[in-house]
Amino acid sequence: MTHQIALVTGASRGLGRNMALHLAKRGVRIIGTYRSSSAEADAVRHEIEALGGSAVMLALDVTDTRSFAAFASKVAETLKADFNRGRFDFLINNAGNGLFANFAEATEEQFESLMATHLRGPIFLTQKLLALIEDGGRILNVSSGFVRFTLPGYSLYASAKAALEVLTRFMAVELGARRIRVNAIAPGAIATDFGGGAVRDNEGINESVAQGIALGRVGQPDDVGRAVAAILSDDMGWANGTTFDISGGQLL
Ligand SMILES: NC(=O)c1ccc[n+]([C@@H]2O[C@H](COP(=O)([O-])OP(=O)(O)OC[C@H]3O[C@@H](n4cnc5c(N)ncnc54)[C@H](OP(=O)(O)O)[C@@H]3O)[C@@H](O)[C@H]2O)c1
């Protein structure tokens, strides 16, 4: 049996790690990326192997476009050496961090960092990997609930994610000829390290955010990882060029 293969960026922690675990539970092989901690990446690889899956973790900084050609070559080598394949099936553009900055004080450096991470990275990384994605494969871009609702401090971050959602639709149109589906997810507040872990660790913030969520609690990584595994399954094969809200009904 040929296993499907997913490349998940930012798989060392948080949502990316959880997506990799849920995909692995469904028999999908994982190429994960990490930026700073090979030890965390190794721990995720071990967790996947303990589930009976297999994973290879590669270093990647999604803001470093000049490294993308070498990264794509490394992915091609990994596919051949570890999975005996020439291409992979799913690309999840997940890596990234939030940045709190009130509009009045936000700097060009913050703007550039957010755009480089959440827009330029997914554009040019995907471009470099296109030849390695199977016809009929899928691309999933990780957006944010902040594209739909507003809270002070996230104007630049949300603007970058909004552009990513628009990009998603155009990618779906242009890659349709290869039957590659391109969708996005927009998670609401999820308890990860994101934003310094405030939603997870600060009781006051956790409670006030939960009050704005119809289901009465903040999201957990499993809420997103499970959804991603479902969205990438064949059952969702007719969904294309759309954004899935995964927020438990936040600020409806
Ligand atoms: N948590 C939420 O509430 C929430 C809600 C909506 C959307 N999102 C989006 O979901 C995605 C994952 O967030 P998360 O909550 O899982 O955050 P997280 O727990 O902070 O994990 C972020 C992951 O991305 C990696 N990363 C960050 N910047 C990177 C870069 N420049 N190049 C490569 N890897 C990089 C991190 O690697 P290092 O360990 O090296 O830093 C880590 O593996 C992000 O795109 C975020 O915007 C999160």
Side-chain angles (χ1 to χ4, degrees), residues 44-83:
V44 175
R45 183 169 57 79
H46 287 309
E47 279 180 273
I48 289 171
E49 286 167 358
L51 293 170
S54 77
V56 175
M57 303 297 280
L58 303 178
L60 174 72
D61 180 341
V62 297
T63 66
D64 184 9
T65 43
R66 280 175 305 181
S67 72
F68 290 175
F71 177 76
S73 302
K74 187 82 197 157
V75 171
E77 278 167 34
T78 301
L79 285 167
K80 188 89 204 111
D82 292 80
F83 301 112

Side-chain angles (χ1 to χ4, degrees), residues 32-218:
T33 80
Y34 65 95
R35 180 183 53 170
S36 55
S37 172
S38 61
E40 277 178 333
D42 273 346
V44 175
R45 183 169 57 79
H46 287 309
E47 279 180 273
I48 289 171
E49 286 167 358
L51 293 170
S54 77
V56 175
M57 303 297 280
L58 303 178
L60 174 72
D61 180 341
V62 297
T63 66
D64 184 9
T65 43
R66 280 175 305 181
S67 72
F68 290 175
F71 177 76
S73 302
K74 187 82 197 157
V75 171
E77 278 167 34
T78 301
L79 285 167
K80 188 89 204 111
D82 292 80
F83 301 112
N84 196 25
R85 289 269 304 271
R87 289 175 161 188
F88 64 94
D89 303 282
F90 310 132
L91 170 63
I92 307 179
N93 285 310
N94 162 76
N97 49 327
L99 198 156
F100 183 93
N102 283 321
F103 176 76
E105 288 103 41
T107 64
E108 283 192 40
E109 287 71 25
Q110 289 172 326
F111 170 83
E112 275 159 16
S113 160
L114 287 166
M115 288 294 170
T117 305
H118 296 289
L119 186 60
R120 190 183 69 191
I123 290 175
F124 293 104
L125 182 65
T126 305
Q127 204 183 64
K128 279 284 183 302
L129 293 173
L130 272 182
L132 296 177
I133 299 175
E134 288 285 359
D135 290 354
R138 283 148 218 241
I139 297 169
L140 191 67
N141 294 323
V142 178
S143 178
S144 163
F146 281 130
V147 174
R148 176 175 58 80
F149 55 78
T150 50
L151 286 175
Y154 289 99
S155 56
L156 299 189
Y157 170 76
S159 299
K161 291 295 201 186
L164 183 65
E165 288 191 17
V166 173
L167 174 78
T168 298
R169 302 205 315 273
F170 279 82
M171 287 169 72
V173 166
E174 294 195 17
L175 300 180
R178 289 183 54 198
R179 291 175 292 105
I180 295 176
R181 284 84 158 158
V182 189
N183 292 296
I185 58 163
I190 315 292
T192 67
D193 294 335
F194 185 85
V199 165
R200 181 191 53 209
D201 304 332
N202 181 313
E203 215 175 303
I205 292 179
N206 183 297
E207 274 171 24
S208 75
V209 171
Q211 278 170 14
I213 297 178
L215 293 177
R217 63 168 177 83
V218 305

